[in-house]
Amino acid sequence: MEPSRARMIARDLLAVLVVAIFMFPIAWWALSSIKPYSAIFDRSGPVYIGFKPTPDNYRVTLLGVSRVDIGMEQGGEAAGVIKGGASSYDSRQSLLASAIIAVGSTALTLVLATLAAYCLSRMQFSGQQSFLFWILSQRFMPPIAIVIPIVFMFRDLGLRDTYTGLILVHSLINLPLAVLLLKSFFDDVPREVDEAALIDGATRWQTFGRVVLPMVKGGVAATAVLCFIFSWTEFLLSLFLTTSIRTVPVKISTFVTSTATEWGYITALGTSAIIPSFIFILLVQRHLVRGLTLGSLKE
Protein backbone atom coordinates (compact mmCIF):
# COMPACT_ATOMS: atom_id res chain seq x y z
CA MET A 1 0.00 0.00 0.00
CA GLU A 2 1.33 3.42 -0.94
CA PRO A 3 2.33 5.68 1.99
CA SER A 4 0.00 8.44 0.80
CA ARG A 5 -2.97 6.07 0.61
CA ALA A 6 -2.15 4.68 4.05
CA ARG A 7 -2.12 8.20 5.47
CA MET A 8 -5.48 8.92 3.90
CA ILE A 9 -7.00 5.76 5.39
CA ALA A 10 -5.51 6.55 8.79
CA ARG A 11 -6.85 10.10 8.57
CA ASP A 12 -10.34 8.85 7.66
CA LEU A 13 -10.32 6.31 10.49
CA LEU A 14 -9.23 9.01 12.93
CA ALA A 15 -12.01 11.30 11.70
CA VAL A 16 -14.58 8.53 12.16
CA LEU A 17 -13.26 7.86 15.66
CA VAL A 18 -13.49 11.53 16.64
CA VAL A 19 -17.04 11.80 15.26
CA ALA A 20 -18.04 8.61 17.09
CA ILE A 21 -16.69 9.96 20.38
CA PHE A 22 -18.69 13.17 20.02
CA MET A 23 -21.82 11.42 18.75
CA PHE A 24 -21.94 8.70 21.41
CA PRO A 25 -23.44 10.92 24.17
CA ILE A 26 -26.15 12.11 21.77
CA ALA A 27 -26.88 8.55 20.63
CA TRP A 28 -27.01 7.36 24.24
CA TRP A 29 -29.32 10.25 25.12
CA ALA A 30 -31.69 9.35 22.29
CA LEU A 31 -31.52 5.66 23.18
CA SER A 32 -32.45 6.41 26.78
CA SER A 33 -35.53 8.31 25.62
CA ILE A 34 -37.12 5.10 24.32
CA LYS A 35 -36.16 2.92 27.27
CA PRO A 36 -38.75 1.78 29.81
CA TYR A 37 -38.29 2.76 33.44
CA SER A 38 -36.77 -0.62 34.35
CA ALA A 39 -34.07 -0.35 31.67
CA ILE A 40 -33.05 3.18 32.64
CA PHE A 41 -32.68 2.32 36.33
CA ASP A 42 -31.36 -1.22 35.96
CA ARG A 43 -29.07 -1.81 38.94
CA SER A 44 -26.94 -4.36 37.09
CA GLY A 45 -25.46 -1.64 34.86
CA PRO A 46 -26.13 0.26 31.64
CA VAL A 47 -28.56 -1.45 29.28
CA TYR A 48 -27.49 -1.11 25.65
CA ILE A 49 -29.68 -3.77 24.06
CA GLY A 50 -32.22 -6.32 25.16
CA PHE A 51 -34.98 -3.92 26.17
CA LYS A 52 -38.36 -3.30 24.59
CA PRO A 53 -38.49 0.24 23.12
CA THR A 54 -41.38 2.33 24.34
CA PRO A 55 -42.81 5.69 23.23
CA ASP A 56 -44.19 6.39 26.71
CA ASN A 57 -41.64 9.09 27.57
CA TYR A 58 -42.60 10.99 24.42
CA ARG A 59 -46.30 10.42 25.06
CA VAL A 60 -45.99 12.12 28.44
CA THR A 61 -43.80 15.05 27.40
CA LEU A 62 -45.07 15.72 23.86
CA LEU A 63 -48.66 14.49 23.93
CA GLY A 64 -49.61 15.36 27.51
CA VAL A 65 -50.59 11.81 28.49
CA SER A 66 -50.76 11.45 32.27
CA ARG A 67 -47.82 9.60 33.71
CA VAL A 68 -50.23 7.98 36.16
CA ASP A 69 -52.06 6.45 33.20
CA ILE A 70 -48.73 5.30 31.81
CA GLY A 71 -47.90 3.71 35.14
CA MET A 72 -51.23 1.90 35.21
CA GLU A 73 -50.61 0.57 31.70
CA GLN A 74 -47.20 -0.75 32.77
CA GLY A 75 -48.63 -2.64 35.72
CA GLY A 76 -45.82 -3.59 38.05
CA GLU A 77 -43.72 -0.57 37.07
CA ALA A 78 -46.45 1.89 38.06
CA ALA A 79 -45.03 2.63 41.48
CA GLY A 80 -41.65 3.46 40.05
CA VAL A 81 -43.04 5.71 37.37
CA ILE A 82 -45.36 7.84 39.50
CA LYS A 83 -43.09 8.42 42.49
CA GLY A 84 -41.28 11.40 40.95
CA GLY A 85 -43.35 14.18 42.52
CA ALA A 86 -46.36 16.22 41.52
CA SER A 87 -44.79 18.26 38.73
CA SER A 88 -46.44 18.35 35.35
CA TYR A 89 -44.39 16.75 32.58
CA ASP A 90 -46.55 17.96 29.69
CA SER A 91 -44.02 20.07 27.74
CA ARG A 92 -46.07 21.25 24.77
CA GLN A 93 -46.47 24.75 26.17
CA SER A 94 -42.73 24.97 26.82
CA LEU A 95 -41.93 23.94 23.25
CA LEU A 96 -44.32 26.59 21.96
CA ALA A 97 -42.82 29.24 24.27
CA SER A 98 -39.27 28.37 23.20
CA ALA A 99 -40.28 28.51 19.54
CA ILE A 100 -41.93 31.93 19.91
CA ILE A 101 -38.96 33.36 21.80
CA ALA A 102 -36.31 31.83 19.53
CA VAL A 103 -38.02 32.90 16.30
CA GLY A 104 -38.85 36.36 17.64
CA SER A 105 -35.36 37.05 18.97
CA THR A 106 -33.76 35.70 15.80
CA ALA A 107 -35.90 37.94 13.60
CA LEU A 108 -35.20 41.02 15.74
CA THR A 109 -31.48 40.26 15.87
CA LEU A 110 -31.25 39.85 12.09
CA VAL A 111 -33.04 43.14 11.41
CA LEU A 112 -30.68 45.07 13.68
CA ALA A 113 -27.54 43.10 12.82
CA THR A 114 -27.88 43.34 9.03
CA LEU A 115 -28.21 47.12 9.18
CA ALA A 116 -25.31 47.52 11.61
CA ALA A 117 -23.10 45.05 9.75
CA TYR A 118 -23.71 46.74 6.39
CA CYS A 119 -22.83 50.15 7.82
CA LEU A 120 -19.67 48.83 9.46
CA SER A 121 -18.67 47.11 6.24
CA ARG A 122 -19.19 50.10 3.97
CA MET A 123 -18.32 53.08 6.18
CA GLN A 124 -14.87 53.92 7.47
CA PHE A 125 -14.36 56.01 10.57
CA SER A 126 -11.69 56.70 13.16
CA GLY A 127 -11.41 53.99 15.81
CA GLN A 128 -13.42 51.47 13.81
CA GLN A 129 -11.27 48.50 14.85
CA SER A 130 -11.57 49.48 18.49
CA PHE A 131 -15.32 49.76 18.06
CA LEU A 132 -15.47 46.28 16.50
CA PHE A 133 -13.48 44.87 19.38
CA TRP A 134 -15.87 46.57 21.80
CA ILE A 135 -18.78 44.85 20.05
CA LEU A 136 -17.04 41.50 20.34
CA SER A 137 -16.20 42.14 24.00
CA GLN A 138 -19.92 42.36 24.79
CA ARG A 139 -20.09 38.62 24.12
CA PHE A 140 -17.23 37.93 26.54
CA MET A 141 -19.28 38.79 29.59
CA PRO A 142 -21.03 35.74 31.08
CA PRO A 143 -24.80 36.12 31.55
CA ILE A 144 -24.49 35.45 35.28
CA ALA A 145 -22.62 38.77 35.62
CA ILE A 146 -25.54 40.81 34.30
CA VAL A 147 -28.60 38.76 35.19
CA ILE A 148 -29.34 40.48 38.53
CA PRO A 149 -29.36 44.06 37.10
CA ILE A 150 -31.46 42.85 34.18
CA VAL A 151 -33.99 41.28 36.54
CA PHE A 152 -34.47 44.59 38.39
CA MET A 153 -34.59 46.60 35.15
CA PHE A 154 -37.17 44.30 33.58
CA ARG A 155 -39.23 44.29 36.77
CA ASP A 156 -39.42 48.09 36.79
CA LEU A 157 -40.21 48.18 33.05
CA GLY A 158 -42.91 45.54 33.34
CA LEU A 159 -41.05 43.15 31.06
CA ARG A 160 -40.36 40.39 33.54
CA ASP A 161 -42.15 37.11 32.81
CA THR A 162 -43.19 38.26 29.33
CA TYR A 163 -42.39 37.01 25.85
CA THR A 164 -41.34 40.52 24.86
CA GLY A 165 -38.79 40.68 27.67
CA LEU A 166 -37.19 37.35 26.78
CA ILE A 167 -37.12 38.20 23.08
CA LEU A 168 -35.35 41.48 23.86
CA VAL A 169 -32.77 40.00 26.20
CA HIS A 170 -31.99 37.09 23.87
CA SER A 171 -31.59 39.55 21.01
CA LEU A 172 -29.16 41.64 23.04
CA ILE A 173 -27.09 38.56 23.83
CA ASN A 174 -27.00 37.43 20.18
CA LEU A 175 -26.52 40.84 18.59
CA PRO A 176 -22.70 41.27 18.95
CA LEU A 177 -21.87 37.94 17.34
CA ALA A 178 -24.50 38.39 14.64
CA VAL A 179 -23.09 41.80 13.68
CA LEU A 180 -19.55 40.46 13.34
CA LEU A 181 -20.64 37.39 11.39
CA LEU A 182 -22.72 39.39 8.93
CA LYS A 183 -20.00 42.00 8.53
CA SER A 184 -17.63 39.28 7.34
CA PHE A 185 -20.12 38.35 4.62
CA PHE A 186 -20.78 41.94 3.58
CA ASP A 187 -17.02 42.51 3.34
CA ASP A 188 -16.86 39.85 0.62
CA VAL A 189 -19.23 41.83 -1.62
CA PRO A 190 -17.10 44.31 -3.62
CA ARG A 191 -17.85 47.96 -3.03
CA GLU A 192 -18.06 48.36 -6.80
CA VAL A 193 -21.44 46.60 -6.63
CA ASP A 194 -22.79 49.38 -4.41
CA GLU A 195 -21.26 52.06 -6.60
CA ALA A 196 -22.75 50.57 -9.76
CA ALA A 197 -26.20 50.43 -8.19
CA LEU A 198 -25.94 54.04 -6.99
CA ILE A 199 -24.82 55.20 -10.43
CA ASP A 200 -27.85 53.46 -11.96
CA GLY A 201 -30.10 55.58 -9.75
CA ALA A 202 -30.73 53.31 -6.79
CA THR A 203 -30.90 54.83 -3.34
CA ARG A 204 -28.72 53.57 -0.52
CA TRP A 205 -31.67 51.65 0.92
CA GLN A 206 -32.45 50.08 -2.44
CA THR A 207 -28.80 49.15 -2.89
CA PHE A 208 -28.80 47.48 0.48
CA GLY A 209 -32.14 45.68 0.23
CA ARG A 210 -32.29 44.72 -3.45
CA VAL A 211 -28.67 44.33 -4.48
CA VAL A 212 -26.30 43.57 -1.61
CA LEU A 213 -28.54 41.72 0.86
CA PRO A 214 -29.58 38.98 -1.65
CA MET A 215 -25.88 38.34 -2.31
CA VAL A 216 -25.27 37.45 1.34
CA LYS A 217 -28.45 35.46 1.96
CA GLY A 218 -26.37 32.38 2.80
CA GLY A 219 -24.59 34.30 5.53
CA VAL A 220 -27.88 35.64 6.83
CA ALA A 221 -29.24 32.09 6.99
CA ALA A 222 -26.16 30.83 8.85
CA THR A 223 -26.39 33.71 11.32
CA ALA A 224 -30.09 33.04 11.81
CA VAL A 225 -29.40 29.41 12.67
CA LEU A 226 -26.77 30.37 15.24
CA CYS A 227 -29.06 32.96 16.84
CA PHE A 228 -31.91 30.45 16.91
CA ILE A 229 -29.75 27.80 18.58
CA PHE A 230 -28.39 30.22 21.20
CA SER A 231 -31.91 31.37 22.06
CA TRP A 232 -33.39 27.87 21.93
CA THR A 233 -30.82 26.52 24.40
CA GLU A 234 -30.42 29.56 26.69
CA PHE A 235 -31.14 28.68 30.31
CA LEU A 236 -29.91 31.18 32.90
CA LEU A 237 -31.68 34.35 31.74
CA SER A 238 -34.88 32.44 30.99
CA LEU A 239 -34.80 30.97 34.48
CA PHE A 240 -34.37 34.31 36.27
CA LEU A 241 -36.68 36.38 34.09
CA THR A 242 -39.70 34.11 34.04
CA THR A 243 -42.01 32.27 36.39
CA SER A 244 -45.09 31.27 34.39
CA ILE A 245 -43.28 31.10 31.04
CA ARG A 246 -40.98 28.10 30.93
CA THR A 247 -38.71 27.50 27.98
CA VAL A 248 -37.52 23.98 27.17
CA PRO A 249 -34.23 24.18 29.16
CA VAL A 250 -36.07 25.56 32.19
CA LYS A 251 -38.80 22.93 31.84
CA ILE A 252 -36.22 20.14 31.76
CA SER A 253 -34.74 21.41 35.02
CA THR A 254 -38.09 20.86 36.73
CA PHE A 255 -37.90 17.15 35.98
CA VAL A 256 -35.36 16.87 38.80
CA THR A 257 -37.58 16.65 41.86
CA SER A 258 -36.95 16.09 45.56
CA THR A 259 -37.77 12.40 45.24
CA ALA A 260 -36.42 11.39 41.83
CA THR A 261 -34.80 12.45 38.58
CA GLU A 262 -37.06 11.55 35.67
CA TRP A 263 -34.38 10.62 33.16
CA GLY A 264 -36.86 9.14 30.72
CA TYR A 265 -38.78 12.39 30.38
CA ILE A 266 -35.59 14.46 30.40
CA THR A 267 -34.07 12.50 27.52
CA ALA A 268 -37.33 12.47 25.57
CA LEU A 269 -37.78 16.23 25.75
CA GLY A 270 -34.07 16.85 25.22
CA THR A 271 -33.99 14.64 22.12
CA SER A 272 -37.05 16.42 20.74
CA ALA A 273 -35.40 19.79 21.35
CA ILE A 274 -32.29 18.75 19.42
CA ILE A 275 -34.17 17.92 16.23
CA PRO A 276 -35.04 21.50 15.05
CA SER A 277 -31.47 22.71 15.55
CA PHE A 278 -30.09 19.63 13.79
CA ILE A 279 -32.34 20.19 10.77
CA PHE A 280 -31.46 23.89 10.49
CA ILE A 281 -27.74 23.13 10.74
CA LEU A 282 -27.97 20.58 7.92
CA LEU A 283 -29.74 23.10 5.70
CA VAL A 284 -27.05 25.78 6.01
CA GLN A 285 -23.99 23.77 7.01
CA ARG A 286 -21.83 25.11 4.16
CA HIS A 287 -22.45 28.72 5.13
CA LEU A 288 -22.35 27.89 8.83
CA VAL A 289 -18.77 26.59 8.73
CA ARG A 290 -17.62 29.73 6.99
CA GLY A 291 -19.61 31.95 9.33
CA LEU A 292 -18.06 30.38 12.41
CA THR A 293 -14.62 31.36 11.10
CA LEU A 294 -15.77 35.00 10.75
CA GLY A 295 -15.19 34.89 7.02
CA SER A 296 -11.65 33.48 7.01
CA LEU A 297 -12.78 30.67 4.70
CA LYS A 298 -13.98 31.43 1.19
CA GLU A 299 -16.77 29.52 -0.49
Side-chain angles (χ1 to χ4, degrees):
M1 184 179 296
E2 297 180 2
S4 59
R5 182 171 177 79
R7 285 196 297 268
M8 292 178 60
I9 294 177
R11 182 193 62 187
D12 293 342
L13 290 176
L14 180 61
V16 171
L17 177 62
V18 171
V19 172
I21 291 173
F22 281 96
M23 289 299 296
F24 176 77
I26 299 177
W28 180 257
W29 187 266
L31 184 66
S32 298
S33 70
I34 58 174
K35 288 181 179 180
Y37 183 89
S38 58
I40 294 177
F41 294 96
D42 194 320
R43 295 184 178 182
S44 63
V47 177
Y48 297 94
I49 57 176
F51 65 88
K52 183 179 179 181
T54 175
D56 290 341
N57 296 322
Y58 289 95
R59 291 173 61 198
V60 172
T61 55
L62 301 185
L63 300 180
V65 178
S66 170
R67 65 196 182 106
V68 177
D69 294 340
I70 296 293
M72 296 299 293
E73 292 175 4
Q74 294 178 351
E77 298 181 4
V81 174
I82 64 175
K83 71 177 183 179
S87 300
S88 172
Y89 296 96
D90 184 357
S91 304
R92 290 174 293 180
Q93 190 62 38
S94 294
L95 288 168
L96 178 60
S98 287
I100 292 173
I101 294 165
V103 172
S105 64
T106 299
L108 179 59
T109 301
L110 289 180
V111 170
L112 299 176
T114 50
L115 296 173
Y118 180 70
C119 292
L120 291 171
S121 175
R122 292 300 186 260
M123 299 179 184
Q124 301 294 326
F125 55 89
S126 178
Q128 185 175 24
Q129 292 303 316
S130 299
F131 181 68
L132 291 174
F133 180 78
W134 177 81
I135 293 177
L136 181 61
S137 68
Q138 303 308 299
R139 202 64 176 84
F140 296 166
M141 186 179 301
I144 190 64
I146 59 174
V147 66
I148 300 302
I150 289 179
V151 168
F152 286 111
M153 290 171 57
F154 275 42
R155 182 199 62 185
D156 295 340
L157 293 172
L159 293 175
R160 192 169 184 272
D161 202 25
T162 64
Y163 286 103
T164 302
L166 279 179
I167 289 173
L168 285 175
V169 75
H170 284 191
S171 298
L172 292 175
I173 295 296
N174 286 328
L175 192 58
L177 185 60
V179 170
L180 294 178
L181 286 177
L182 287 171
K183 181 182 178 300
S184 71
F185 286 98
F186 281 122
D187 287 342
D188 289 338
V189 179
R191 293 174 181 269
E192 289 76 11
V193 173
D194 300 58
E195 296 171 358
L198 292 172
I199 291 174
D200 288 340
T203 64
R204 176 62 72 176
W205 279 104
Q206 290 173 332
T207 301
F208 166 73
R210 298 183 181 181
V211 179
V212 180
L213 191 58
M215 299 177 69
V216 297
K217 59 183 179 181
V220 173
T223 304
V225 169
L226 287 177
C227 292
F228 180 88
I229 292 174
F230 290 153
S231 179
W232 183 260
T233 59
E234 198 283 321
F235 172 74
L236 186 66
L237 293 172
S238 299
L239 176 66
F240 276 86
L241 292 175
T242 60
T243 51
S244 61
I245 299 174
R246 288 180 173 175
T247 59
V248 170
V250 176
K251 183 67 175 180
I252 289 178
S253 70
T254 65
F255 293 174
V256 181
T257 69
S258 59
T259 56
T261 299
E262 299 290 352
W263 287 110
Y265 303 150
I266 290 174
T267 53
L269 182 54
T271 302
S272 303
I274 291 173
I275 294 175
S277 300
F278 184 73
I279 293 174
F280 293 151
I281 289 174
L282 287 180
L283 292 175
V284 297
Q285 57 181 327
R286 180 167 59 92
H287 302 289
L288 189 62
V289 171
R290 182 176 170 276
L292 288 172
T293 61
L294 288 178
S296 62
L297 295 178
K298 299 297 182 181
E299 296 182 2

